[in-house]
Amino acid sequence: MSLAFLPLAVFSHLWWQGRRSGLRPALALAAGCAAAVLPWTARNVLVLRDPVMVDTVSVYNLWNDNLYVNADRARMQQESLDKQPTPAAQRARALALTWRNVKRAPATIPLKAWDNTRYFFRPEALDNLLRVEYPHPAWLHAAWVVLGDGILLLSLPLFVVFAVVGRPSPARSLLLLWSAYYLFMLIVVFHTQLRY
């Protein structure tokens, strides 16, 4: 997910610095990202014999997180994926099935996005205490509420103020671009089972 943000980050840098003066720092940013990604790519090529840049399951996750079908159809799609002879063929099939599922049920995407938004922004520790009722000591629940939910609830309004009235700058633009990209990928494209 982060690697797909690289072109946006490079474009943002070039936008603020100018094409000529921002080219060298943008290339340094791309080189830094490549330094983190290339070992994984080499591992995938040499060990798995699969030319995948970072991970081998993201397309499968994309299919699974956009599975707008009943249980029988989901099982048939899983069997179809399992029958593919190579990991590359499985990824291609998962991508095709994802696109088919989305085209068949486009009305479910806003519902998924709404559910994911509510899940992502809920006070998680308070939810665990009151709804899930985890059997943890009271002091632990209190610490989670204060240090988890409390920080989120305090930082969210500050972030909104920063986004709305903050002074324009390259760092602010990059942070807002990353936040929008991150939320879109988690809430609309994938899932929000965890608050990362």
Side-chain angles (χ1 to χ4, degrees), residues 108-158:
T108 57
I109 296 171
L111 298 173
K112 171 190 167 188
W114 174 245
D115 286 344
N116 283 342
T117 300
R118 285 189 358 233
Y119 189 90
F120 187 82
F121 288 105
R122 82 192 189 290
E124 187 172 19
L126 204 55
D127 183 66
N128 288 338
L129 172 65
L130 299 176
R131 191 181 62 78
V132 179
E133 299 180 6
Y134 282 134
H136 298 300
W139 68 267
L140 188 57
H141 279 295
W144 282 340
V145 168
V146 171
L147 298 174
D149 295 345
I151 291 172
L152 178 70
L153 293 174
L154 286 174
S155 63
L156 221 69
L158 294 174

Side-chain angles (χ1 to χ4, degrees), residues 13 15 31 39 56 80 89-90 96 101 117 135 149 175 186 192-193 196:
H13 197 76
W15 175 269
T56 57
S80 170
Q90 286 178 335
N101 292 340
T117 300
D149 295 345
L175 184 60
L186 278 182
T192 56
Q193 291 176 358
Y196 298 97

Side-chain angles (χ1 to χ4, degrees), residues 61-193:
N61 288 340
L62 182 67
W63 166 75
N64 191 52
D65 293 339
N66 293 284
L67 195 58
Y68 307 119
V69 296
N70 62 33
D72 288 335
R73 191 174 292 261
R75 190 186 78 261
M76 290 187 322
Q77 288 187 4
Q78 180 66 60
E79 289 170 1
S80 170
L81 289 171
D82 293 340
K83 288 179 184 176
Q84 300 305 311
T86 65
Q90 286 178 335
R91 285 191 302 275
R93 182 72 179 142
L95 201 54
L97 290 171
T98 301
W99 184 241
R100 182 190 305 169
N101 292 340
V102 168
K103 285 194 313 187
R104 283 183 177 166
T108 57
I109 296 171
L111 298 173
K112 171 190 167 188
W114 174 245
D115 286 344
N116 283 342
T117 300
R118 285 189 358 233
Y119 189 90
F120 187 82
F121 288 105
R122 82 192 189 290
E124 187 172 19
L126 204 55
D127 183 66
N128 288 338
L129 172 65
L130 299 176
R131 191 181 62 78
V132 179
E133 299 180 6
Y134 282 134
H136 298 300
W139 68 267
L140 188 57
H141 279 295
W144 282 340
V145 168
V146 171
L147 298 174
D149 295 345
I151 291 172
L152 178 70
L153 293 174
L154 286 174
S155 63
L156 221 69
L158 294 174
F159 181 78
V160 170
V161 169
F162 169 76
V164 174
V165 298
R167 284 190 358 209
S169 71
R172 178 179 171 268
S173 294
L174 188 62
L175 184 60
L176 293 178
L177 187 63
W178 168 254
S179 299
Y181 171 81
Y182 175 78
L183 288 174
F184 175 79
M185 293 299 278
L186 278 182
I187 289 173
V188 178
V189 177
F190 288 102
H191 68 278
T192 56
Q193 291 176 358

